[in-house]
Amino acid sequence: MTWDHPYRRRGRKRLIPLLVAAIQMIGVTFASHFPANQAPATPRSLDLLAYALLAGSALAMWLVHVRVELALGVVTALTATYLALGYPWGPFFLAFLFMLILAVVLGRQLSAALTAAAGYALFVWLTARRGIDPLSWHSLVAAVVIVGVLLFAQVVRANRDRIVEQRRRRAGDERLRMAREVHDVVAHHISLINVQAGVALHLLDDDPEQARTALAAIKQASRDTLRELRQTLGVLRGVDEQAPRSPAPSLDRLDELVERFATAGLRVDVHVTGRPRPLPTAVDLAAYRIVQESLTNVHRHAGVDSAEVTVGYDTDEIVLDITDRGRGGDAAEGNGLSGIRERAASLGGTVAVGPRPEGGFTVCAVLPTGGDS
């Protein structure tokens, strides 16, 4: 991957005025030898002042970093002065056209339009002074070129705005995704820590050994929380630190998740249907987090000590069903289920949640997998 440093990009932008200056000076020098430059009146010979005006009109584009309108005015004035002094025709107007484009791209459409109108009026007046009919093809071509440049600049600006908006939207989506990750990690582990802390306090005097087991579970849960948060925040910072020491959350680690809930007092029965297969990374992570968040809700709200998880592998989708027999409806409160819906929707999947007629609560998510891997 090529690393494009900001200073390098800035350096390339600073080269544009130099390139325009070179093209204007070389182009006018060559054009001055053509017969078309001798009519209707013999032009003034190119001299040091002519080259100074050609170079100055291009280098004045750098004034855009001070003020766009200032750069427009100076470039237009120097270009008009070159024409007013009767120097040969040629690409002496390139800096003027580039400046119009730059002004539009930077959002100064009105200033660019007024400058274009003033520049065209000056062109017609100054060419008339050189004996050229204001209604000649010179004026028509100049008008077409200026209008075309303004339209082209507007297209460039619209495309630039679209790219910026897409980048902003992607950044917002990434922040939302990372926020969901942080929420799921913290909500799951803190819930387990809270239960184990209550158990430890309750048994501290009567059953010290069982309290020790609960404290060990708290230590392990806190360590897992810190590890997953470190990985998540490391991605958010974009810093390549030490490689993760454990695999990323996925359905392959479902047994570890079930074991953690068992330690906290929630027995989880897992059933797998269909032929298990590797899943796309995004789908695998989303499936794990959906199961994790659903079981966390059961643990916190359902008031039961058991739940069932069914993982169904179909041809082009995976179906997750998390069911309990507790107080149906309580788990619908909070950010947990909205996060589950957002995860599924981001992958083109669907989620159905709600109380069961026979009691309890069900979360059923369907995630597309793109066919067999």
Side-chain angles (χ1 to χ4, degrees), residues 11-310:
R12 287 199 295 264
K13 292 178 181 179
R14 289 175 177 174
L15 285 177
I16 292 177
L18 294 175
L19 181 61
V20 172
I23 293 175
Q24 288 191 150
M25 290 187 291
I26 296 173
V28 168
T29 300
F30 276 101
S32 64
H33 298 293
F34 287 91
N37 246 316
Q38 308 301 320
T42 301
R44 179 176 176 175
S45 299
L46 290 171
D47 53 20
L48 185 59
L49 177 59
Y51 287 115
L53 290 171
L54 291 170
S57 63
L59 299 182
M61 294 169 61
W62 280 331
L63 293 174
V64 74
H65 299 292
V66 179
R67 186 174 178 82
V68 176
E69 288 76 9
L70 176 62
L72 279 169
V74 174
V75 171
T76 303
L78 293 176
T79 303
T81 301
Y82 174 91
L83 186 60
L85 293 177
Y87 287 116
W89 295 88
F92 62 89
F93 49 82
L94 281 183
F96 175 72
L97 298 181
F98 264 90
M99 197 57 233
L100 291 180
I101 294 174
L102 189 57
V104 172
V105 170
L106 293 177
R108 304 295 202 282
Q109 290 93 332
L110 179 59
S111 297
L114 293 175
T115 302
Y120 179 72
L122 281 171
F123 174 81
V124 172
W125 178 60
L126 293 173
T127 54
R129 290 184 57 189
R130 297 178 68 166
I132 298 177
D133 185 358
L135 299 179
S136 68
W137 64 271
H138 297 84
S139 300
L140 178 60
V141 170
V144 171
V145 169
I146 289 176
V147 172
V149 164
L150 290 175
L151 292 177
F152 170 76
Q154 190 59 42
V155 171
V156 171
R157 173 173 172 77
N159 186 62
R160 177 175 175 268
D161 290 345
R162 179 180 57 81
I163 293 174
V164 170
E165 181 59 30
Q166 287 177 347
R167 290 176 178 173
R168 185 181 295 114
R169 188 181 300 113
R170 284 197 296 268
D173 291 343
E174 182 64 14
R175 285 193 294 270
L176 179 60
R177 187 184 71 81
M178 299 309 295
R180 281 200 300 263
E181 285 293 307
V182 172
H183 168 270
D184 290 349
V185 170
V186 172
H188 166 66
H189 290 290
I190 294 302
S191 176
L192 298 184
I193 289 173
N194 179 64
V195 171
Q196 293 295 339
V199 171
L201 286 174
H202 181 69
L203 299 175
L204 189 60
D205 295 328
D206 299 334
D207 193 344
E209 189 60 34
Q210 187 65 28
R212 182 186 299 274
T213 301
L215 290 174
I218 291 175
K219 180 180 180 180
Q220 181 61 42
S222 61
R223 182 185 296 115
D224 292 341
T225 303
L226 291 175
R227 175 180 52 77
E228 292 197 41
L229 282 177
R230 189 178 297 114
Q231 292 179 8
T232 302
L233 296 178
V235 173
L236 186 62
R237 290 195 306 268
V239 177
D240 292 328
E241 298 179 341
Q242 198 173 12
R245 297 184 179 180
S246 60
S250 71
L251 290 181
D252 290 339
R253 300 181 60 193
L254 198 55
D255 290 342
E256 298 176 24
L257 182 66
V258 169
E259 184 178 346
R260 285 203 299 268
F261 276 108
T263 303
L266 178 66
R267 188 184 78 254
V268 180
D269 297 322
V270 178
H271 308 282
V272 178
T273 62
R275 181 173 62 87
R277 63 182 187 277
L279 300 172
T281 303
V283 176
D284 208 2
L285 174 61
Y288 178 90
R289 292 303 189 197
I290 287 173
V291 174
Q292 181 187 61
E293 180 62 31
S294 299
L295 291 177
T296 300
N297 283 337
V298 172
H299 187 243
R300 293 172 60 187
H301 303 293
V304 294
D305 59 2
S306 65
E308 294 181 5
V309 174
T310 302

Side-chain angles (χ1 to χ4, degrees), residues 71 244 307 315:
T315 303

